[in-house]
Amino acid sequence: MSNLKINMNNFEDVLKSLESQTLRVCVIGIGRIGLPTALSFAKSGLETIGVDINKNLVDDINSGKFPLKDEPGYDEIFDTVIKNKKFSATTSIEDGVPNSNLILLSLPTPMDENNVPDYSALKTVASQLSDILSPNSLVIVESTIEPGFIEDEMVPIISRSGRLNAEKNFFIGVCPENANPGEILHDFTNLPRLVGGINSDISKTIKSIYNFVFSVELVEMPNCKTANAVKLTTNVFRDINIAFISELSLMFEKLGIDTNKVLEAARKKYNFQVHYPGAGVGGPCLPINSYQLLNTAKRIGSTLSIIESGRKINEKMPEHVVQLTSNAFKEYQKPIQGSNILILGISYKPNVKDIQLTPAEEIIKKLQNLGAIIHIYDPYFKSTTTFGIRIEDNVESIISNIDAAIIVTAHDEFKTMDISFFSRMRTPILIDTRGIIDPFSAKEKKLIFRGLGRGK
Ligand SMILES: NC(=O)c1ccc[n+]([C@@H]2O[C@H](COP(=O)([O-])OP(=O)(O)OC[C@H]3O[C@@H](n4cnc5c(N)ncnc54)[C@H](O)[C@@H]3O)[C@@H](O)[C@H]2O)c1
């Protein structure tokens, strides 16, 4: 069977094309999620092409350089599928789409400076598909989108040129991605995935395709919008619960209660699901996903007051970190103005190289506004300049000039640091926003210590 004869609406055709490995796959957007996805499809034996507007990324991939160094396991898969020519990349969508049967979209869905979700990448690509998608192809959107986006936006745009008619000669569905950066291979091989199609036949087809590539449970949803609603619900659940614990931790701090101790004990109860307070919630998912649901509510005249309050709390946490810092400086009777402050960790979460919407940025800006001189050390960002600051390669060489250190990200490297390291600072102020320092050992070392949510 030639690949362009495969009718993606014909279940038998699709199964045969999987077995004979003639089904051709195009992944548009080969970033953090799209690249591992494309590599997984290629590893299963299906010829896969990745399309991306980032020329440097495409050049790196085609010259054999694996760009996601913090994704364990994928470097080997990358080497294999590049060598056996199952995977290549291109900047030209025309090189990828017309010869493919299955088009996966892993495009970014960020938000603008007013927290309004921005679906321009998906809309641009949908309009390109309208002109170049081969009849009888299947489009699967893996990006995180609002419920209704497939039906109300993608289908009308792809149908716009008049060549393509949904459910007649093109098919569409979703398989929202839910992997965690830094653990993508683990998550792709363990976490259940949601599938939803424009009709139930397409859902079944999508399920069989993903079954071929990933040996995980595939949860078939009644339609696309329900699948996307589940994806957003699970992430927003986390955003709200982090806000709940963060707000509680602010009160516990005043009461002299250690939130760590509260959570350690609370999690012993079978129906308590632990979340941790911190410097704020960043990343490409949680904050945006909350605003996506708020956008949906606004669009249809509903209210989601808990999500709104949760966002306000999470967005206030960087300011609290600055207050803790100011307070510690006051205790030492030293002005922040002109002091050297070391930020430990700028990633929005531990052990990944990713600063999207990281709370570190706001903390840094606020401290700079108070006149502090900021230094950054982050093992994932060596030899680069970020937020206009040259990142330190070696924290050892600067520690004696530092007046305060603030742990913003709980990277493993910081968890294993000996507390005496901080005694070598010029001024012994240590702020821990992630609950990784034992307040008693900080006290023993005579550090001026502030732990977020730990009580004084
Ligand atoms: N990163 C995560 O933790 C994560 C987890 C689950 C779901 N998601 C969702 O997956 C989707 C992709 O996220 P990501 O983190 O992989 O984003 P990313 O920014 O790492 O990758 C997106 C890629 O798309 C490319 N791109 C942008 N516009 C394009 C266009 N018009 N044509 C071709 N390529 C284009 C970019 O150059 C980039 O390489 C988003 O919807 C996100 O919400 C992300």
Side-chain angles (χ1 to χ4, degrees), residues 111-169:
M111 57 186 182
D112 67 15
E113 60 285 359
N114 299 315
N115 302 327
V116 177
D118 170 3
Y119 298 109
S120 55
L122 278 170
K123 288 183 181 173
T124 303
V125 168
S127 129
Q128 288 169 309
L129 293 180
S130 174
D131 293 322
I132 61 173
L133 188 72
S134 292
N136 300 320
S137 306
L138 168 61
V139 178
I140 301 178
V141 179
E142 290 209 354
S143 303
T144 310
I145 47 177
E146 290 173 44
F149 188 79
I150 295 292
E151 300 84 345
D152 302 343
E153 302 278 350
M154 293 300 282
V155 168
I157 301 176
I158 297 175
S159 313
R160 201 180 276 162
S161 66
R163 287 189 321 117
L164 300 163
N165 235 314
E167 296 187 74
K168 294 209 167 67
N169 68 348

Side-chain angles (χ1 to χ4, degrees), residues 29 31-33 52-53 106-109 125 143-144 177 179 181 231 284-285:
R32 167 71 68 176
I33 296 292
D52 204 291
I53 49 171
S106 191
L107 291 155
T109 47
V125 168
S143 303
T144 310
E177 186 43 63
K231 158 77 200 192
C285 294

Side-chain angles (χ1 to χ4, degrees), residues 141-144 174-178 193-196 224 227-228 231:
V141 179
E142 290 209 354
S143 303
T144 310
V174 298
C175 184
E177 186 43 63
N178 57 5
R193 292 190 66 153
L194 305 157
V195 297
C224 299
N228 292 122
K231 158 77 200 192

Side-chain angles (χ1 to χ4, degrees), residues 38 58 90 116 132 168 182-183 408 410 423 432:
V58 168
T90 176
V116 177
I132 61 173
K168 294 209 167 67
E183 300 165 306
V408 176
S423 307
D432 173 18

Side-chain angles (χ1 to χ4, degrees), residues 1-10 13-14 16-18 20-26 46-49 95-103 134-138:
M1 183 162 42
S2 131
N3 73 300
L4 286 178
K5 296 235 173 74
I6 303 166
N7 181 351
M8 297 302 285
N9 193 34
N10 182 324
D13 257 20
V14 174
K16 273 190 219 149
S17 72
L18 289 169
S20 59
Q21 300 184 340
T22 47
L23 185 106
R24 286 168 80 156
V25 183
C26 173
L46 302 175
E47 202 170 305
T48 303
I49 184 163
D95 285 348
V97 168
N99 295 322
S100 301
N101 315 99
L102 175 65
I103 317 295
S134 292
N136 300 320
S137 306
L138 168 61

